[in-house]
């Protein structure tokens, strides 16, 4: 489910909108709301993303006996082939100099009654390299 969520998330970043994605299927309303705020900022700044993100996800904790069952996924996100574009000019916007091209992200997931895992929280530490 994590990989499917990221495919939909990348689609949202390419259009600066969740429209046309299945993110509601993979994220809780709170997690999706945080993403939508980021996408709204992108839309207001006339930016979109292009390219592909690399991932190295690892399940770092699994609490299958909890109700609901939870898991934490640690990921090393590689944005080396991911670019921000200005939609008014089509020009590439350089990444901030203080951000590494590979950074740590943590995702908390829960398994619902339908046996599907959903993202409840996503935190990217763009200052911490991996």
């Amino acid at each position: 489910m994590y990989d499917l969520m990221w495919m939909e998330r990348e689609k949202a970043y390419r259009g600066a909108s969740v429209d046309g994605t299945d993110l509601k299927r993979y994220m809780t309303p709170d997690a999706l709301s945080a993403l939508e705020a980021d996408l709204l900022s992108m839309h207001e700044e006339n930016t979109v993303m292009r390219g592909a993100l690399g991932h190295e996800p690892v399940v770092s904790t699994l609490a299958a006996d909890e109700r609901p069952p939870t898991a934490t996924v640690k990921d090393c996100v590689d944005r080396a082939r991911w670019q921000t574009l200005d939609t008014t000019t089509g020009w590439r916007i350089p990444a901030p100099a203080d951000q590494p091209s590979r950074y740590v992200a943590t995702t908390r997931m829960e398994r619902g009654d339908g046996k599907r895992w959903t993202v409840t929280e996503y935190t990217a530490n763009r200052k911490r390299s991996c």
Side-chain angles (χ1 to χ4, degrees):
M1 285 296 177
Y2 183 81
D3 292 338
L4 294 173
M5 180 274 300
W6 261 109
M7 285 181 6
E8 294 301 307
R9 195 175 170 110
E10 286 184 27
K11 190 186 306 181
Y13 280 119
R14 286 184 182 101
S17 171
V18 296
D19 293 345
T21 70
D22 285 330
L23 283 166
K24 288 181 181 179
R25 182 175 186 183
Y26 303 113
M27 301 177 84
T28 63
D30 287 344
L32 184 58
S33 180
L35 174 61
E36 287 175 320
D38 192 29
L39 295 170
L40 179 60
S41 293
M42 289 177 61
H43 179 75
E44 291 171 349
E45 295 167 2
N46 296 315
T47 59
V48 294
M49 306 302 289
R50 293 292 185 264
L53 287 169
H55 294 277
E56 295 175 16
V58 174
V59 176
S60 61
T61 63
L62 176 62
D65 294 335
E66 284 187 20
R67 294 294 167 238
T70 62
T72 301
V73 177
K74 299 281 186 181
D75 194 356
C76 181
V77 180
D78 184 349
R79 63 176 182 80
R81 298 181 323 171
W82 191 242
Q83 300 177 353
T84 304
L85 298 180
D86 182 319
T87 60
T88 59
T89 64
W91 294 349
R92 181 177 177 260
I93 300 171
D98 65 340
Q99 288 185 6
S101 65
R102 294 167 52 92
Y103 62 87
V104 175
T106 305
T107 303
R108 185 175 183 281
M109 301 182 77
E110 288 182 0
R111 192 176 78 196
D113 292 336
K115 306 293 184 201
R116 183 177 357 162
W117 288 92
T118 56
V119 173
T120 60
E121 185 178 336
Y122 175 81
T123 307
N125 186 343
R126 292 182 176 91
K127 303 286 184 186
R128 185 171 160 222
S129 184
C130 52

